[in-house]
Amino acid sequence: MRPLGQIRRFVLELDGGGAPGAHRGGELLSGQVVLDLGRVLKVQALEVCARGLAAVHWLESRSVGTNVVYTDHSAAEPYLRQRQQLIRDNGEVTVLQAGKHEFPFMFQLPETLATSFEGKHGSVRYWVKAKLHRPWSVVKKAKKEFTVIEPIDINTPALLAPQAGVKEKLARAWYCNRGQVSVTAKIDRKGYTPGEVIPIFAEIDNCSTRTVVPKAAIIQTQTFVARGSKKQKKSVVASITGDSIAAGKRDVWHGRALKIPPVGPSILQCRIIRVEYALKVCVAIPGTSKLLLELPLVIGTIPLHPFGSRSSSVSSQRSVNLDWLRMAMLEQPEAPPEYSSIVSSEESAQNLSPPCQDELSNGLEGPFFAYIQEFRYRPPPLYSEVDPNPPAESIRPRCMTC
């Protein structure tokens, strides 16, 4: 049996945010510290603090003679650091009677925060911690993590702008020219939200003597920056494969559908951690490195306004071909391919090269929950045959016979 003097319960409880379990910059973070006592307890102080931190860390090894030297790369960026005294330590002991006690608290979150994130070489985390100080006893602690999701509205001119590109490549084998392969691709806009379908419009001209296979994939790039160095992790989150194109033939994609899976949004506000997305159209050419065309994407949290812009591509809502319908009926979707099958080793090495100073000094370009806006429409005015603005009596119609 537990002693009567032991603390039965010491926990932190947070109130809900704008989205289920999520908060955003500028909001009030409120909650209470719950303390359940079996008998009288003497307390010196009770404090609660809110913290938010982005941190990256990785090790790199290199050989120096017969020894292996490890280089530590780490960086941190604080976002939240607030403290509140619920029971002040004024030199006297506060006596709490047996039973349940609740101590409410409230913090004002900063206007600018980074979205919560967990990656291989870094993270963005937020938490609240309570500390109970008692005479001649160790400090008792309680911790509660919370999620921050910064809204990214895709209803902006920059994210509603169409994205297009052209790429071509000579197919070579044993230093012999086998012809040229070119690809032209376009998507309706730059910003999307998870669950949306990206209609891809593309033309693949195969003027080579080989049969080629086109593919399209959404690539997520996690970039971790520390002390002028960076570490990247790339992964394929969704992909589709087109039909084989014979030598001398052309294939046209009339809005080939590629659905965005439930992925995290782009991270725009953090200087040491970036999460970026891109749509890559790849053409596999036998005997030659792949032809790659990359179009930038931004995964947002606020979905497209139903009537927000004419350029918001009606085709993105309607252009779902039969291939996508067949894909949607599969009970177990096929896993995306490895990143190495989409990007060649040469381009992967270029992506992992250290950044220049200008790249680190520039701002970032670009939370798992979508914010749904509410629209209220006013009814049209009532119809009436009586002119609400009759002409003045002094104005007479001109006689046609005068």
Side-chain angles (χ1 to χ4, degrees):
M1 181 179 296
R2 299 170 59 186
L4 295 177
Q6 189 173 1
I7 298 175
R8 296 176 180 173
R9 189 164 176 252
F10 180 58
V11 296
L12 271 165
E13 296 179 352
L14 296 178
D15 301 332
H23 299 264
R24 56 177 293 184
E27 289 185 347
L28 290 175
L29 177 67
S30 60
Q32 52 276 337
V33 178
V34 180
L35 182 60
D36 191 4
L37 304 176
R39 64 180 180 88
V40 174
L41 180 67
K42 295 181 180 181
V43 178
Q44 286 181 331
L46 175 61
E47 64 179 7
V48 61
C49 57
R51 297 287 186 267
L53 182 69
V56 299
H57 177 263
W58 73 88
L59 294 174
E60 289 184 356
S61 61
R62 58 188 179 92
S63 298
V64 179
T66 59
N67 300 325
V68 178
V69 179
Y70 292 91
T71 304
D72 185 294
H73 298 274
S74 60
E77 184 175 11
Y79 287 104
L80 177 62
R81 189 177 182 86
Q82 299 182 17
R83 181 181 176 185
Q84 185 176 350
Q85 292 283 344
L86 304 182
I87 299 180
R88 296 185 176 276
D89 187 4
N90 52 10
E92 298 180 359
V93 175
T94 301
V95 179
L96 299 179
Q97 299 299 323
K100 183 178 180 181
H101 302 266
E102 293 186 357
F103 302 90
F105 61 86
M106 182 177 296
F107 295 102
Q108 177 70 50
L109 297 180
E111 292 293 335
T112 302
L113 294 175
T115 298
S116 298
F117 171 78
E118 292 291 335
K120 182 177 181 180
H121 304 291
S123 62
V124 181
R125 297 173 181 173
Y126 298 88
W127 68 91
V128 179
K129 181 180 290 187
K131 296 181 180 180
L132 179 65
H133 300 267
R134 298 166 292 169
W136 307 102
S137 299
V138 296
V139 178
K140 194 170 183 61
K141 301 178 182 180
K143 184 178 179 181
K144 181 73 172 181
E145 296 185 354
F146 63 95
T147 302
V148 170
I149 296 179
E150 279 300 285
I152 301 177
D153 190 358
I154 68 172
N155 298 281
T156 59
L159 300 186
L160 290 177
Q163 304 295 310
V166 180
K167 216 58 175 301
E168 57 186 22
K169 189 180 188 68
L170 285 176
R172 296 180 179 274
W174 297 101
Y175 302 100
C176 297
N177 187 358
R178 301 295 184 179
Q180 181 175 276
V181 179
S182 63
V183 58
T184 302
K186 176 185 176 183
I187 55 178
D188 297 324
R189 46 192 162 95
K190 184 178 181 180
Y192 289 87
T193 53
E196 283 193 284
V197 172
I198 303 178
I200 305 173
F201 301 88
E203 291 185 3
I204 302 97
D205 289 325
N206 182 17
C207 298
S208 69
T209 59
R210 303 293 183 90
T211 299
V212 299
V213 179
K215 300 179 182 179
I218 299 177
I219 308 297
Q220 181 196 66
T221 303
Q222 300 176 7
T223 305
F224 307 91
V225 181
R227 299 180 181 181
S229 301
K230 71 176 182 179
K231 195 81 169 178
Q232 285 189 334
K233 180 180 182 300
K234 294 177 179 285
S235 59
V236 179
V237 298
S239 65
I240 56 174
T241 302
D243 300 329
S244 300
I245 305 175
K249 300 295 182 180
R250 170 188 293 184
D251 189 16
V252 179
W253 288 4
H254 297 284
R256 182 67 64 90
L258 178 57
K259 187 176 181 180
I260 304 175
V263 295
S266 302
I267 293 185
L268 310 176
Q269 302 295 338
C270 188
R271 293 180 295 179
I272 61 176
I273 296 178
R274 299 198 303 266
V275 177
E276 299 168 311
Y277 293 88
L279 174 68
K280 290 193 176 183
V281 180
C282 165
V283 181
I285 307 173
T288 309
S289 59
K290 299 180 178 67
L291 170 61
L292 291 175
L293 173 60
E294 181 175 338
L295 301 178
L297 288 177
V298 172
I299 303 300
T301 61
I302 301 179
L304 184 67
H305 191 297
F307 305 100
S309 173
R310 291 174 181 251
S311 64
S312 63
S313 123
V314 178
S315 60
S316 66
Q317 306 293 333
R318 298 183 179 178
S319 63
V320 181
N321 57 15
L322 296 180
D323 292 339
W324 163 243
L325 293 178
R326 287 193 292 266
M327 292 170 58
M329 296 177 63
L330 294 177
E331 296 181 358
Q332 297 182 351
E334 182 180 357
E338 296 293 335
Y339 177 74
S340 58
S341 64
I342 302 296
V343 178
S344 61
S345 58
E346 299 177 359
E347 296 200 9
S348 178
Q350 295 178 1
N351 292 333
L352 297 178
S353 60
C356 60
Q357 187 66 27
D358 295 339
E359 180 182 353
L360 296 176
S361 60
N362 292 336
L364 300 178
E365 183 182 356
F368 310 107
F369 306 98
Y371 293 87
I372 302 177
Q373 298 179 346
E374 181 181 3
F375 302 96
R376 302 174 187 230
Y377 299 96
R378 298 181 59 186
L382 298 177
Y383 174 75
S384 176
E385 296 185 359
V386 179
D387 190 355
N389 301 310
E393 297 181 355
S394 60
I395 301 177
R396 295 181 179 181
R398 176 177 296 182
C399 180
M400 299 300 295
T401 58
C402 296

Short mmCIF file of all heavy atoms in Angstrom, two decimals, residues 165-171 179-185 202-208 210 212-214 245 248-252 281-285 290-293:
data_model
loop_
_atom_site.label_atom_id
_atom_site.label_comp_id
_atom_site.label_asym_id
_atom_site.label_seq_id
_atom_site.Cartn_x
_atom_site.Cartn_y
_atom_site.Cartn_z
N GLY A 165 8.54 23.75 -67.21
CA GLY A 165 9.95 23.61 -67.53
C GLY A 165 10.16 22.70 -68.73
O GLY A 165 9.27 21.92 -69.11
N VAL A 166 11.34 22.82 -69.32
CA VAL A 166 11.73 22.02 -70.48
C VAL A 166 13.12 21.48 -70.23
O VAL A 166 14.00 22.20 -69.73
CB VAL A 166 11.69 22.85 -71.78
CG1 VAL A 166 12.11 21.99 -72.98
CG2 VAL A 166 10.32 23.46 -72.01
N LYS A 167 13.34 20.21 -70.58
CA LYS A 167 14.66 19.59 -70.43
C LYS A 167 14.87 18.62 -71.59
O LYS A 167 13.92 17.97 -72.04
CB LYS A 167 14.72 18.84 -69.10
CG LYS A 167 16.02 18.85 -68.34
CD LYS A 167 16.57 20.18 -67.98
CE LYS A 167 17.81 20.13 -67.11
NZ LYS A 167 17.63 19.44 -65.85
N GLU A 168 16.10 18.52 -72.03
CA GLU A 168 16.44 17.58 -73.11
C GLU A 168 17.80 16.98 -72.84
O GLU A 168 18.62 17.55 -72.12
CB GLU A 168 16.42 18.28 -74.47
CG GLU A 168 17.35 19.47 -74.57
CD GLU A 168 17.20 20.22 -75.87
OE1 GLU A 168 16.13 20.10 -76.52
OE2 GLU A 168 18.16 20.92 -76.25
N LYS A 169 18.02 15.78 -73.46
CA LYS A 169 19.27 15.06 -73.20
C LYS A 169 19.60 14.19 -74.39
O LYS A 169 18.70 13.60 -75.02
CB LYS A 169 19.11 14.20 -71.94
CG LYS A 169 20.40 13.57 -71.44
CD LYS A 169 20.13 12.76 -70.21
CE LYS A 169 21.43 12.27 -69.58
NZ LYS A 169 22.23 13.38 -69.03
N LEU A 170 20.89 14.11 -74.71
CA LEU A 170 21.35 13.24 -75.77
C LEU A 170 21.60 11.85 -75.21
O LEU A 170 22.29 11.68 -74.21
CB LEU A 170 22.64 13.79 -76.40
CG LEU A 170 22.49 15.00 -77.33
CD1 LEU A 170 23.87 15.48 -77.77
CD2 LEU A 170 21.64 14.65 -78.53
N ALA A 171 21.03 10.87 -75.86
CA ALA A 171 21.25 9.48 -75.47
C ALA A 171 22.53 8.99 -76.14
O ALA A 171 22.64 8.99 -77.37
CB ALA A 171 20.07 8.62 -75.87
N GLY A 179 20.56 9.73 -80.40
CA GLY A 179 19.40 10.60 -80.56
C GLY A 179 19.11 11.39 -79.30
O GLY A 179 19.79 11.26 -78.28
N GLN A 180 18.10 12.20 -79.40
CA GLN A 180 17.77 13.12 -78.30
C GLN A 180 16.42 12.79 -77.70
O GLN A 180 15.49 12.41 -78.41
CB GLN A 180 17.79 14.57 -78.82
CG GLN A 180 17.48 15.61 -77.75
CD GLN A 180 17.63 17.02 -78.27
OE1 GLN A 180 18.72 17.57 -78.30
NE2 GLN A 180 16.54 17.59 -78.70
N VAL A 181 16.31 12.97 -76.37
CA VAL A 181 15.06 12.79 -75.63
C VAL A 181 14.76 14.11 -74.93
O VAL A 181 15.63 14.68 -74.27
CB VAL A 181 15.15 11.64 -74.62
CG1 VAL A 181 13.83 11.50 -73.86
CG2 VAL A 181 15.51 10.34 -75.31
N SER A 182 13.54 14.60 -75.08
CA SER A 182 13.16 15.86 -74.46
C SER A 182 11.84 15.70 -73.73
O SER A 182 11.01 14.85 -74.08
CB SER A 182 13.03 16.98 -75.51
OG SER A 182 12.01 16.68 -76.44
N VAL A 183 11.67 16.50 -72.68
CA VAL A 183 10.44 16.47 -71.89
C VAL A 183 10.03 17.91 -71.57
O VAL A 183 10.87 18.75 -71.25
CB VAL A 183 10.63 15.64 -70.59
CG1 VAL A 183 11.75 16.19 -69.74
CG2 VAL A 183 9.34 15.62 -69.78
N THR A 184 8.75 18.17 -71.71
CA THR A 184 8.15 19.44 -71.33
C THR A 184 7.02 19.14 -70.36
O THR A 184 6.13 18.34 -70.66
CB THR A 184 7.59 20.20 -72.55
OG1 THR A 184 8.65 20.40 -73.49
CG2 THR A 184 6.99 21.53 -72.15
N ALA A 185 7.06 19.77 -69.18
CA ALA A 185 6.07 19.49 -68.14
C ALA A 185 5.53 20.78 -67.56
O ALA A 185 6.23 21.81 -67.54
CB ALA A 185 6.67 18.62 -67.03
N ALA A 202 2.34 16.92 -69.64
CA ALA A 202 3.71 16.72 -70.11
C ALA A 202 3.70 16.17 -71.53
O ALA A 202 2.74 15.52 -71.96
CB ALA A 202 4.47 15.78 -69.18
N GLU A 203 4.80 16.46 -72.24
CA GLU A 203 5.07 15.89 -73.56
C GLU A 203 6.48 15.31 -73.53
O GLU A 203 7.43 16.01 -73.18
CB GLU A 203 4.97 16.96 -74.65
CG GLU A 203 3.55 17.46 -74.90
CD GLU A 203 3.49 18.41 -76.08
OE1 GLU A 203 4.55 18.62 -76.71
OE2 GLU A 203 2.40 18.93 -76.37
N ILE A 204 6.58 14.05 -73.89
CA ILE A 204 7.87 13.36 -73.93
C ILE A 204 8.15 12.95 -75.37
O ILE A 204 7.42 12.13 -75.93
CB ILE A 204 7.90 12.14 -72.99
CG1 ILE A 204 7.58 12.55 -71.55
CG2 ILE A 204 9.26 11.47 -73.04
CD1 ILE A 204 6.15 12.35 -71.15
N ASP A 205 9.17 13.55 -75.95
CA ASP A 205 9.58 13.23 -77.33
C ASP A 205 10.80 12.32 -77.28
O ASP A 205 11.86 12.70 -76.77
CB ASP A 205 9.92 14.50 -78.10
CG ASP A 205 8.69 15.33 -78.42
OD1 ASP A 205 7.63 14.73 -78.66
OD2 ASP A 205 8.79 16.57 -78.41
N ASN A 206 10.64 11.14 -77.83
CA ASN A 206 11.73 10.17 -77.87
C ASN A 206 12.27 10.10 -79.29
O ASN A 206 11.77 9.34 -80.13
CB ASN A 206 11.25 8.80 -77.39
CG ASN A 206 12.37 7.78 -77.36
OD1 ASN A 206 13.54 8.14 -77.40
ND2 ASN A 206 12.01 6.51 -77.29
N CYS A 207 13.28 10.90 -79.57
CA CYS A 207 13.92 10.89 -80.89
C CYS A 207 15.17 10.03 -80.90
O CYS A 207 16.01 10.15 -81.82
CB CYS A 207 14.28 12.33 -81.30
SG CYS A 207 12.85 13.42 -81.47
N SER A 208 15.31 9.18 -79.89
CA SER A 208 16.46 8.29 -79.84
C SER A 208 16.11 6.94 -80.45
O SER A 208 14.98 6.72 -80.91
CB SER A 208 16.91 8.10 -78.38
OG SER A 208 15.94 7.37 -77.65
N ARG A 210 16.26 4.16 -78.67
CA ARG A 210 15.95 3.30 -77.54
C ARG A 210 14.53 3.54 -77.04
O ARG A 210 13.95 4.61 -77.27
CB ARG A 210 16.94 3.54 -76.38
CG ARG A 210 18.40 3.35 -76.77
CD ARG A 210 18.71 1.90 -77.09
NE ARG A 210 20.11 1.68 -77.38
CZ ARG A 210 21.03 1.37 -76.46
NH1 ARG A 210 20.68 1.27 -75.20
NH2 ARG A 210 22.28 1.15 -76.81
N VAL A 212 12.13 4.36 -74.01
CA VAL A 212 12.29 5.05 -72.74
C VAL A 212 11.00 4.92 -71.93
O VAL A 212 9.93 4.64 -72.48
CB VAL A 212 12.65 6.53 -72.96
CG1 VAL A 212 13.95 6.66 -73.72
CG2 VAL A 212 11.53 7.27 -73.68
N VAL A 213 11.14 5.12 -70.61
CA VAL A 213 10.00 5.02 -69.70
C VAL A 213 9.92 6.29 -68.87
O VAL A 213 10.87 6.61 -68.13
CB VAL A 213 10.13 3.79 -68.77
CG1 VAL A 213 8.94 3.71 -67.82
CG2 VAL A 213 10.24 2.51 -69.59
N PRO A 214 8.83 7.06 -68.95
CA PRO A 214 8.69 8.27 -68.13
C PRO A 214 8.11 7.95 -66.76
O PRO A 214 7.30 7.03 -66.59
CB PRO A 214 7.73 9.13 -68.95
CG PRO A 214 6.87 8.13 -69.67
CD PRO A 214 7.73 6.92 -69.93
N ILE A 245 7.73 4.38 -74.17
CA ILE A 245 7.68 5.15 -75.42
C ILE A 245 8.71 4.56 -76.37
O ILE A 245 9.91 4.56 -76.08
CB ILE A 245 7.95 6.64 -75.16
CG1 ILE A 245 6.99 7.18 -74.09
CG2 ILE A 245 7.82 7.44 -76.44
CD1 ILE A 245 7.28 8.61 -73.69
N GLY A 248 11.46 7.04 -81.59
CA GLY A 248 10.84 7.91 -82.58
C GLY A 248 9.39 8.26 -82.28
O GLY A 248 8.73 8.85 -83.14
N LYS A 249 8.89 7.96 -81.11
CA LYS A 249 7.49 8.23 -80.77
C LYS A 249 7.41 9.34 -79.72
O LYS A 249 8.38 9.76 -79.12
CB LYS A 249 6.80 6.96 -80.25
CG LYS A 249 6.78 5.81 -81.25
CD LYS A 249 5.94 6.17 -82.46
CE LYS A 249 5.88 5.01 -83.43
NZ LYS A 249 5.05 5.32 -84.63
N ARG A 250 6.16 9.79 -79.51
CA ARG A 250 5.87 10.84 -78.54
C ARG A 250 4.72 10.40 -77.66
O ARG A 250 3.78 9.74 -78.12
CB ARG A 250 5.52 12.15 -79.25
CG ARG A 250 4.97 13.23 -78.31
CD ARG A 250 4.45 14.43 -79.05
NE ARG A 250 5.52 15.16 -79.71
CZ ARG A 250 5.33 16.31 -80.37
NH1 ARG A 250 4.11 16.82 -80.47
NH2 ARG A 250 6.34 16.92 -80.95
N ASP A 251 4.78 10.79 -76.39
CA ASP A 251 3.70 10.52 -75.45
C ASP A 251 3.29 11.83 -74.80
O ASP A 251 4.14 12.68 -74.48
CB ASP A 251 4.17 9.53 -74.37
CG ASP A 251 2.99 9.06 -73.50
OD1 ASP A 251 1.84 9.25 -73.93
OD2 ASP A 251 3.25 8.52 -72.41
N VAL A 252 1.98 12.00 -74.61
CA VAL A 252 1.42 13.23 -74.03
C VAL A 252 0.62 12.86 -72.79
O VAL A 252 -0.22 11.95 -72.84
CB VAL A 252 0.54 13.98 -75.04
CG1 VAL A 252 -0.03 15.25 -74.41
CG2 VAL A 252 1.35 14.33 -76.30
N VAL A 281 9.93 14.99 -62.93
CA VAL A 281 9.55 14.17 -64.07
C VAL A 281 10.83 13.54 -64.60
O VAL A 281 11.77 14.25 -64.99
CB VAL A 281 8.84 14.99 -65.15
CG1 VAL A 281 8.46 14.10 -66.33
CG2 VAL A 281 7.60 15.66 -64.58
N CYS A 282 10.87 12.22 -64.59
CA CYS A 282 12.09 11.48 -64.93
C CYS A 282 11.83 10.61 -66.14
O CYS A 282 10.76 10.00 -66.28
CB CYS A 282 12.52 10.65 -63.73
SG CYS A 282 13.73 9.37 -64.09
N VAL A 283 12.80 10.55 -67.03
CA VAL A 283 12.74 9.67 -68.19
C VAL A 283 13.94 8.74 -68.13
O VAL A 283 15.09 9.20 -68.21
CB VAL A 283 12.72 10.46 -69.51
CG1 VAL A 283 12.64 9.49 -70.70
CG2 VAL A 283 11.56 11.43 -69.55
N ALA A 284 13.67 7.45 -67.94
CA ALA A 284 14.74 6.46 -67.87
C ALA A 284 15.17 6.06 -69.28
O ALA A 284 14.36 5.54 -70.07
CB ALA A 284 14.28 5.24 -67.09
N ILE A 285 16.44 6.34 -69.61
CA ILE A 285 17.00 6.04 -70.94
C ILE A 285 18.02 4.92 -70.79
O ILE A 285 19.01 5.08 -70.05
CB ILE A 285 17.66 7.29 -71.55
CG1 ILE A 285 16.68 8.48 -71.52
CG2 ILE A 285 18.12 7.02 -72.97
CD1 ILE A 285 17.32 9.78 -71.94
N LYS A 290 19.58 9.28 -66.30
CA LYS A 290 18.18 9.69 -66.43
C LYS A 290 18.06 11.16 -66.80
O LYS A 290 18.88 12.00 -66.43
CB LYS A 290 17.44 9.45 -65.11
CG LYS A 290 17.40 7.99 -64.66
CD LYS A 290 16.65 7.86 -63.36
CE LYS A 290 16.57 6.41 -62.92
NZ LYS A 290 17.89 5.88 -62.55
N LEU A 291 17.01 11.45 -67.54
CA LEU A 291 16.64 12.84 -67.85
C LEU A 291 15.68 13.31 -66.77
O LEU A 291 14.61 12.73 -66.56
CB LEU A 291 16.00 12.92 -69.23
CG LEU A 291 15.35 14.26 -69.62
CD1 LEU A 291 16.39 15.37 -69.62
CD2 LEU A 291 14.67 14.15 -70.98
N LEU A 292 16.06 14.38 -66.06
CA LEU A 292 15.28 14.85 -64.93
C LEU A 292 14.83 16.28 -65.17
O LEU A 292 15.61 17.15 -65.57
CB LEU A 292 16.09 14.79 -63.64
CG LEU A 292 16.43 13.40 -63.09
CD1 LEU A 292 17.33 13.53 -61.88
CD2 LEU A 292 15.16 12.66 -62.73
N LEU A 293 13.55 16.54 -64.89
CA LEU A 293 12.99 17.89 -64.90
C LEU A 293 12.32 18.12 -63.56
O LEU A 293 11.44 17.35 -63.15
CB LEU A 293 11.97 18.04 -66.04
CG LEU A 293 11.18 19.36 -66.06
CD1 LEU A 293 12.12 20.54 -66.20
CD2 LEU A 293 10.16 19.35 -67.19
#
